[in-house]
């Protein structure tokens, strides 16, 4: 087995040891005392203690329903909930907090747009443009809509490196295109798509653009106003926040024109049996009791990230990805899947003669958490001629020592399974 690559040339001002101390889950030992090496961050990230504490404190001291309550706890809960929305709006550069809709996650955010904007604006013969690297959550809602409306999906191809064919995209945009829905970062490959260029290309033809940012906001500094996207979606649990909470950002004029997604409490202004009038933004799209603790926890995650040097994090994660890419290529028979020039966080690979599931199972027994399978991107796997890959995905708390542990474990996998 080759010796570890010298990492002394990796220069960063980011103190990963200090950050790791904030995440209690990273310090546990599993399977006969093996240290946990957590490399499944594209699926969900671990949570810093401040997020855990903030959720606990809400339930311990502030628990009440939000809005319209006149008592003390309801006022506390409402203030914390509304402040979380303001923090998140500022974090993504939204012009106004009312343009930030709380959802259950990226999946619901996309479904919301499909069920409202889509049903209102897409008709027979119309087209929705996606890419070949989309997550199922950015495919299936549009398929359902197209089946209902008699519309069509058009798919932008990707090359063997996992790079979008922008020339093909430009040719696809036409008079019948009603929306472009594209991932900012591929969850299966780590490719960072040129979304600014894509948005400009679409807007030149009057076509709105939805960006799936589930894999982007935790790695890239996102400003939706500067991007000029029409919709932007992401999930809390992939950016060190709670599960079950996510965001849909939309341009105000689009959100105002869209019908409600669900009916119920808080999304109404007045109800009679003859007619209901709807609440103002953002509440028009937030029927029923929201995930109050989740929203507050996501606000705490944003506050945590704001307290770090985001530029230093980006440099550190880029250096770590480069190091991991070099180390993995030392493993005999390992082939990286997704080698785009601009990528973040994700290392997908296959091992000759080894099924991804078998490799993942053995890695788990050695204390290393990775993801195996198609990663909810089956069309992409079909395009690449694969049933699935092994995916190691990085976060700001991962280390070069953990990459070394992964590589050592992969040598053992190769010895045992070939």
């Amino acid at each position: 087995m080759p010796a570890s690559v010298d990492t002394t040339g990796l220069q960063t001002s980011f103190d990963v040891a200090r950050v790791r101390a904030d995440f209690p889950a990273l310090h546990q030992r599993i399977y006969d005392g093996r240290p946990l090496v957590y490399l499944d961050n594209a699926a969900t990230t671990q949570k810093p203690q401040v997020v855990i504490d903030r959720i606990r404190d809400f339930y311990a001291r502030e628990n009440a329903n939000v809005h319209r309550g006149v008592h003390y706890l309801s006022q506390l809960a409402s203030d914390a909930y509304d402040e979380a929305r303001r923090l998140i709006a500022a974090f993504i550069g939204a012009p106004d907090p009312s343009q930030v809709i709380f959802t259950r996650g990226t999946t619901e955010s996309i479904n919301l747009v499909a069920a409202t904007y889509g049903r209102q604006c897409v008709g027979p013969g119309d087209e929705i443009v996606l890419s070949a690297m989309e997550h199922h959550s950015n495919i299936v809602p549009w398929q359902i809509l197209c089946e209902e409306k008699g519309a069509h999906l058009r798919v932008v191809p990707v090359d063997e490196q996992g790079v979008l064919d922008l020339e093909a995209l430009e040719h696809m945009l036409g008079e019948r295109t009603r929306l472009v829905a594209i991932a900012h970062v591929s969850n299966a490959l780590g490719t960072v798509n040129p979304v600014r260029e894509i948005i400009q290309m679409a807007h030149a033809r009057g076509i709105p653009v939805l960006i799936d940012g589930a894999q982007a906001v935790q790695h890239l500094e996102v400003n939706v106003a500067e991007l000029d996207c029409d919709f932007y979606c992401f999930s809390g649990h992939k950016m060190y926040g709670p599960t079950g909470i996510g965001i849909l950002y939309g341009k105000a004029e689009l959100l105002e024109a869209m019908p409600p997604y669900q009916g119920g409490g808080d999304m109404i202004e007045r109800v009679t049996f003859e007619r209901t009038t709807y609440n103002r933004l953002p509440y028009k799209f937030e029927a029923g009791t929201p995930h109050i603790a989740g929203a507050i926890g996501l606000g705490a995650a944003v506050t945590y990230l704001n307290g770090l040097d985001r530029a230093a994090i980006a440099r550190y994660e880029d250096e770590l990805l480069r190091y991991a890419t070099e180390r993995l290529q030392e493993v005999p028979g390992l082939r990286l899947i997704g080698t785009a020039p601009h990528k973040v966080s994700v290392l997908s690979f296959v091992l000759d003669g080894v099924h991804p599931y078998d490799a993942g199972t053995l890695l788990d027994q050695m204390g290393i958490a990775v993801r195996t399978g198609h990663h909810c991107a089956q069309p992409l796997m079909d395009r690449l001629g694969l049933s699935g890959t092994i995916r190691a995905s990085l976060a700001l708390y991962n280390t070069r020592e953990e990459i070394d542990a992964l590589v050592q474990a992969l040598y053992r996998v190769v010895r045992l399974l070939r």
Side-chain angles (χ1 to χ4, degrees), residues 402-415:
E402 289 180 316
I403 299 303
D404 294 340
L406 170 64
V407 171
Q408 292 170 6
L410 286 170
Y411 272 101
R412 185 176 177 191
V413 167
V414 169
R415 289 198 305 269

Side-chain angles (χ1 to χ4, degrees), residues 111-129 142 145-146 148-152 174-180 206-209 230-231 251 253-259 285:
N111 275 272
L112 190 161
V113 177
T116 56
Y117 175 85
R119 285 202 174 100
Q120 193 175 56
C121 299
V122 175
D126 287 341
E127 298 174 345
I128 296 169
V129 174
W142 308 115
L145 178 66
C146 287
E148 177 184 322
K149 295 292 187 176
H152 308 285
E175 292 182 359
R176 303 308 300 266
T177 308
R178 294 294 174 260
L179 183 76
V180 174
I207 301 165
V209 180
D230 300 277
F231 302 103
K251 287 185 174 177
E253 59 271 23
L254 292 174
L255 295 175
E256 292 283 7
M258 288 156 49
F285 296 105

Side-chain angles (χ1 to χ4, degrees), residues 77-89 97 102 295-296 299 303:
S78 298
D79 289 347
Y81 182 75
D82 294 340
E83 175 62 14
R85 195 190 308 271
R86 287 191 290 271
L87 287 167
I88 294 159
F102 284 123
I296 293 170
T303 300

Side-chain angles (χ1 to χ4, degrees), residues 328-348:
L328 284 173
Q329 290 179 98
E330 299 170 6
V331 179
L334 185 147
R335 178 165 61 98
L336 287 169
I337 307 298
T339 56
H342 191 196
K343 60 179 289 186
V344 294
S345 80
V346 172
L347 296 138
S348 277

Side-chain angles (χ1 to χ4, degrees), residues 37-345:
V37 175
Y38 187 79
L39 297 171
D40 193 22
N41 296 286
T44 195
T45 52
Q46 297 303 326
K47 320 307 174 194
Q49 189 66 52
V50 291
V51 170
I52 298 166
D53 290 345
R54 185 65 189 93
I55 296 169
R56 181 200 61 198
D57 289 347
F58 166 76
Y59 282 124
R61 299 187 180 91
E62 302 162 87
N63 183 44
N65 216 325
V66 293
H67 305 145
R68 297 190 302 277
V70 297
H71 61 82
Y72 177 74
L73 290 185
S74 182
Q75 293 296 320
L76 286 180
S78 298
D79 289 347
Y81 182 75
D82 294 340
E83 175 62 14
R85 195 190 308 271
R86 287 191 290 271
L87 287 167
I88 294 159
F91 184 73
I92 61 170
D96 191 274
S98 67
Q99 296 170 262
V100 169
I101 313 298
F102 284 123
T103 66
R104 290 180 298 158
T106 308
T107 298
E108 186 176 45
S109 295
I110 296 170
N111 275 272
L112 190 161
V113 177
T116 56
Y117 175 85
R119 285 202 174 100
Q120 193 175 56
C121 299
V122 175
D126 287 341
E127 298 174 345
I128 296 169
V129 174
L130 312 176
S131 84
M133 67 176 71
E134 299 307 313
H135 189 282
H136 295 166
S137 294
N138 202 28
I139 299 174
V140 179
W142 308 115
Q143 284 181 326
I144 293 171
L145 178 66
C146 287
E147 289 170 4
E148 177 184 322
K149 295 292 187 176
H152 308 285
L153 289 183
R154 301 202 68 186
V155 181
V156 183
V158 301
D159 66 17
E160 291 295 328
Q161 287 186 294
V163 176
L164 278 183
D165 186 338
L166 291 185
E167 185 176 347
L169 169 60
E170 188 161 22
H171 288 309
M172 286 181 186
L173 300 178
E175 292 182 359
R176 303 308 300 266
T177 308
R178 294 294 174 260
L179 183 76
V180 174
I182 210 99
H184 198 158
V185 173
S186 165
N187 76 301
L189 304 176
T191 302
V192 180
N193 287 317
V195 293
R196 189 184 302 273
E197 185 177 349
I198 291 167
I199 291 164
Q200 292 172 348
M201 191 185 298
H203 283 181
R205 295 161 176 82
I207 301 165
V209 180
L210 177 145
I211 302 297
D212 172 356
Q215 300 293 336
V217 290
Q218 64 275 54
H219 302 294
L220 308 173
E221 293 198 52
V222 172
N223 187 303
V224 293
E226 291 181 2
L227 285 176
D228 196 31
C229 57
D230 300 277
F231 302 103
Y232 198 96
C233 313
F234 62 94
S235 299
H237 72 99
K238 297 181 189 293
M239 54 171 291
Y240 315 106
T243 57
I245 191 72
I247 296 297
L248 169 65
Y249 158 81
K251 287 185 174 177
E253 59 271 23
L254 292 174
L255 295 175
E256 292 283 7
M258 288 156 49
Y261 177 49
Q262 296 177 325
D266 219 31
M267 56 76 65
I268 60 92
E269 181 181 61
R270 177 170 170 75
V271 176
T272 69
F273 282 112
E274 291 71 36
R275 184 171 182 268
T276 294
T277 55
Y278 304 123
N279 208 344
R280 67 187 188 278
L281 295 177
Y283 310 113
K284 182 173 77 168
F285 296 105
E286 295 180 0
T289 298
H291 185 8
I292 305 166
I296 293 170
L298 180 52
V302 164
T303 300
Y304 178 79
L305 288 173
N306 285 338
L308 301 174
D309 184 338
R310 298 292 302 282
I313 291 171
R315 290 192 298 271
Y316 176 77
E317 289 186 343
D318 184 60
E319 291 167 351
L320 189 64
L321 179 65
R322 292 174 186 273
Y323 176 67
T325 301
E326 293 173 5
R327 291 292 336 263
L328 284 173
Q329 290 179 98
E330 299 170 6
V331 179
L334 185 147
R335 178 165 61 98
L336 287 169
I337 307 298
T339 56
H342 191 196
K343 60 179 289 186
V344 294
S345 80

